[in-house]
Amino acid sequence: MAISTERFKLTSKNLSPISSQQGEHRVEIPTYNRDDVKEGIVHVGVGGFHRAHLAVYVDKLLQHHNERDWAICGVGLRPNDAAMRDVLAAQDHLYTVIERSAKGSFANVVGSINSFLFAPDDREAVIAKMAHPDTHIVSLTITESGYYYNENTHQLTSEHPDIQHDLANENSPVSTFGFLYAALARRHAAGLKPFTVLSCDNMQKNGSITRHMLESFARLRNPELAKWIAEEGAFPNAMVDRITPSTSPNDIKSLSEDFGIDDEWPVVTEPFMQWVVEDKFSDGRPPFEKVGVQVVNNVHDVEQFEKHKLRLLNASHSAMAYPGQLAGFKYIHEVMEHPVYRKFVWQMMQEEVKPLLPDIPGVNIDQYCETLMERFSNPTIMDQIPRVALNASGKIPQFIMPSIAEQIWVTGPFKRLCFVLAGWFHYIRGVDNAGNAFEIDDPMREQLQALAKQGGNDPRPLLSIKVLFGDDLRNDKRFIDELTSAMELIDKEGVMAALPKLVN
């Protein structure tokens, strides 16, 4: 469907001609004055998910509710964030969100990110921005590994070189916690309230973990400041949800051809979007309720939604990603098109995960599972398996292992969950069932691959990684036997031949 005959580079001056394009679908553009807003939010980690989630909610507040104090200053801490810096700078920090479903594609230009700071260029500028009185929230999408959180001890990995560097170099930090500490120290000295630190990462108890890690870091630097952060700071827990695949060259091309927008880095996503956030802010917050955010009273409410999402959506993603990569699939929807694999995912959810989950008033868990299957099956967003598989060492301990651990306690079924873990242990080797090599993108890759090679089909060397797996797992014979059998089955027959033996 070719909608547009003209092409416009995405910049502020071209917003009017972009919005006046004729065709089946008009493009929504920001109509608020972007020069007349305050940047009340500093966001660390401007990737696809942030631009499809928090930045969209804020854009709706700016566009429809005249909330002028909550624009976003994006921050990139890592060298690879330079690409985002350059694209956004060339486009006046505008970008396009493309929603895709069976109903068609819809595009809107988002203007809530008003500026971008690249820390390797100017670390002081980032600290100063966070410390500025206009900044009320510092939000994060830094992936699980960015929290330096030991999954086994639940403590800060204080021996990590980044943390050690930041403890010794307050004014030239490299980690998120180094920047947060330096900025909060300045606010404390200036008599300002601490900003709220708002994690938007896909982690259970993300706010509580962020609080614990930052307070731990601060205690190593200055116990007095740590006490102020503990007493005055706020770290809301939140559950976030929106499937956001990596942007492909075809996405850029189709946006230009169909909508007439030349955007170097649009975001492709699904129509579904959810955010449940604890109402716990230290220095004010936007009226998120006005744009569909579920603002709840306490951490328990968030945790209930969070548990459903992480153990059903994210665990199912893992079930499709690691064995799916071994089986040669490229996209999530392709896995869903295979009837046996689809049944495997559904039965894992229904028989091994759902019985462990809490009831939430007003939530029909079976309907939620069915909605997830529909979302996974959406062929229009082309969700790449390598994207879903990224950084598995930060995901598997949260998405798969809690359900396995609870099934160990209640002596319940977990053969499919163990098969997913076995699939990851094979995936770590970087070779699929047909002998094709693929890239492993994980901060623990070298250690994982060395132990995978050492163990072969014996999972115990990998299970010995204490930051990922606890003693309750390593010492359970039923779990070790089930996992070993799954690893041997994959090694002998391959994923697709093994799957029929795991479905009813």
Side-chain angles (χ1 to χ4, degrees), residues 1-22:
M1 134 188 108
I3 296 176
S4 174
T5 56
E6 290 189 80
R7 309 278 185 271
F8 296 96
K9 177 176 171 57
L10 182 55
T11 61
S12 295
K13 70 178 182 179
N14 285 336
L15 285 178
S16 180
I18 285 171
S19 71
S20 63
Q21 294 273 67
Q22 299 300 309

Side-chain angles (χ1 to χ4, degrees), residues 32 53 56 101 107 110 148 151 156 161 207 287 350 410 433 447 458-459 480 489 493:
Y32 50 90
H53 197 261
V56 169
S101 70
V110 172
Y148 303 92
E151 290 281 354
L156 177 72
Q350 289 289 308
V410 300
N433 292 160
Q447 181 184 6
D458 180 353
I480 296 294
L489 185 62
E493 300 188 16

Side-chain angles (χ1 to χ4, degrees), residues 9-292:
K9 177 176 171 57
L10 182 55
T11 61
S12 295
K13 70 178 182 179
N14 285 336
L15 285 178
S16 180
I18 285 171
S19 71
S20 63
Q21 294 273 67
Q22 299 300 309
E24 185 178 343
H25 300 300
R26 290 168 59 89
V27 178
E28 291 188 25
I29 63 164
T31 56
Y32 50 90
N33 183 355
R34 297 177 71 228
D35 294 325
D36 185 33
V37 296
K38 290 182 179 178
E39 295 174 348
I41 301 172
V42 173
H43 183 83
V44 181
V46 181
F49 181 76
H50 168 68
R51 295 190 298 143
H53 197 261
L54 172 57
V56 169
Y57 283 116
V58 172
D59 187 68
K60 291 177 184 293
L61 285 170
L62 292 165
Q63 179 82 334
H64 302 298
H65 299 283
N66 201 35
E67 294 291 336
R68 294 292 181 262
D69 295 335
W70 299 104
I72 299 168
C73 169
V75 169
L77 300 186
R78 301 299 184 186
N80 60 7
D81 290 318
M84 184 65 72
R85 171 201 63 190
D86 295 343
V87 167
L88 290 178
Q91 298 180 174
D92 299 325
H93 300 95
L94 297 165
Y95 64 94
T96 314
V97 173
I98 310 164
E99 289 186 8
R100 288 182 180 159
S101 70
K103 295 179 181 178
S105 294
F106 303 90
N108 66 287
V109 175
V110 172
S112 55
I113 299 176
N114 219 42
S115 64
F116 188 96
L117 296 174
F118 182 57
D121 281 350
D122 192 344
R123 299 182 189 281
E124 166 58 27
V126 175
I127 298 170
K129 183 65 178 178
M130 291 180 176
H132 194 281
D134 285 350
T135 299
H136 303 286
I137 296 171
V138 176
S139 52
L140 314 173
T141 45
I142 53 177
T143 76
E144 294 84 356
S145 61
Y147 289 83
Y148 303 92
Y149 176 65
N150 185 314
E151 290 281 354
N152 190 38
T153 66
H154 308 298
Q155 301 301 317
L156 177 72
T157 310
S158 56
E159 68 276 11
H160 192 284
D162 293 350
I163 301 298
Q164 288 294 310
H165 172 276
D166 289 357
L167 289 171
N169 298 275
E170 179 176 331
N171 294 318
S172 59
V174 295
S175 76
T176 300
F177 295 115
F179 280 99
L180 293 175
Y181 174 87
L184 286 168
R186 292 191 191 182
R187 290 176 77 102
H188 182 252
L192 297 172
K193 293 180 179 180
F195 47 70
T196 297
V197 183
L198 176 59
S199 172
C200 298
D201 275 300
N202 220 356
M203 302 190 308
Q204 198 160 9
K205 300 183 180 179
N206 53 11
S208 300
I209 289 173
T210 306
R211 170 189 280 278
H212 182 33
M213 296 304 97
L214 181 57
E215 288 179 11
S216 298
F217 180 93
R219 279 194 298 272
L220 295 170
R221 284 279 319 174
N222 182 339
E224 181 186 344
L225 188 68
K227 184 172 183 289
W228 176 71
I229 293 170
E231 292 175 353
E232 304 293 334
F235 302 79
N237 287 279
M239 186 277 275
V240 299
D241 189 7
R242 198 174 205 191
I243 295 172
T244 310
S246 303
T247 305
S248 73
N250 282 339
D251 297 327
I252 296 170
K253 181 182 177 185
S254 66
L255 178 64
S256 178
E257 292 178 350
D258 295 345
F259 292 95
I261 302 174
D262 287 337
D263 181 341
E264 290 299 311
W265 207 333
V267 180
V268 175
T269 190
E270 61 177 339
F272 182 92
M273 181 165 66
Q274 187 179 21
W275 190 17
V276 182
V277 63
E278 183 184 7
D279 195 2
K280 194 174 186 179
F281 292 75
S282 54
D283 193 22
R285 68 167 174 86
F288 287 127
E289 305 94 330
K290 291 182 178 180
V291 289

Side-chain angles (χ1 to χ4, degrees), residues 200-400:
C200 298
D201 275 300
N202 220 356
M203 302 190 308
Q204 198 160 9
K205 300 183 180 179
N206 53 11
S208 300
I209 289 173
T210 306
R211 170 189 280 278
H212 182 33
M213 296 304 97
L214 181 57
E215 288 179 11
S216 298
F217 180 93
R219 279 194 298 272
L220 295 170
R221 284 279 319 174
N222 182 339
E224 181 186 344
L225 188 68
K227 184 172 183 289
W228 176 71
I229 293 170
E231 292 175 353
E232 304 293 334
F235 302 79
N237 287 279
M239 186 277 275
V240 299
D241 189 7
R242 198 174 205 191
I243 295 172
T244 310
S246 303
T247 305
S248 73
N250 282 339
D251 297 327
I252 296 170
K253 181 182 177 185
S254 66
L255 178 64
S256 178
E257 292 178 350
D258 295 345
F259 292 95
I261 302 174
D262 287 337
D263 181 341
E264 290 299 311
W265 207 333
V267 180
V268 175
T269 190
E270 61 177 339
F272 182 92
M273 181 165 66
Q274 187 179 21
W275 190 17
V276 182
V277 63
E278 183 184 7
D279 195 2
K280 194 174 186 179
F281 292 75
S282 54
D283 193 22
R285 68 167 174 86
F288 287 127
E289 305 94 330
K290 291 182 178 180
V291 289
V293 179
Q294 295 165 269
V295 181
V296 297
N297 292 328
N298 56 60
V299 62
H300 176 73
D301 294 335
V302 176
E303 286 176 353
Q304 305 293 74
F305 283 99
E306 201 170 57
K307 193 173 283 189
H308 281 209
K309 190 254 179 174
L310 294 179
R311 297 203 194 177
L312 289 169
L313 185 151
N314 295 112
S316 298
H317 259 163
S318 296
M320 292 181 277
Y322 306 110
Q325 176 87 54
L326 295 177
F329 290 101
K330 293 183 179 179
Y331 298 101
I332 292 295
H333 74 269
E334 292 178 337
V335 175
M336 286 287 97
E337 289 169 355
H338 191 282
V340 177
Y341 212 140
R342 184 183 184 92
K343 186 180 287 188
F344 171 85
V345 174
W346 176 255
Q347 290 181 354
M348 187 189 84
M349 284 200 284
Q350 289 289 308
E351 298 177 20
E352 299 183 10
V353 179
K354 189 183 80 170
L356 303 169
L357 297 175
D359 290 328
I360 301 176
V363 175
N364 182 321
I365 195 166
D366 286 321
Q367 189 175 44
Y368 180 67
C369 290
E370 288 170 5
T371 299
L372 289 179
M373 297 296 280
E374 288 178 20
R375 293 170 64 194
F376 297 149
S377 302
N378 183 351
T380 64
I381 61 171
M382 304 291 284
D383 198 7
Q384 307 97 329
I385 281 177
R387 179 200 75 86
V388 178
L390 284 171
N391 301 323
S393 62
K395 295 176 178 177
I396 291 287
Q398 293 193 77
F399 304 160
I400 298 295

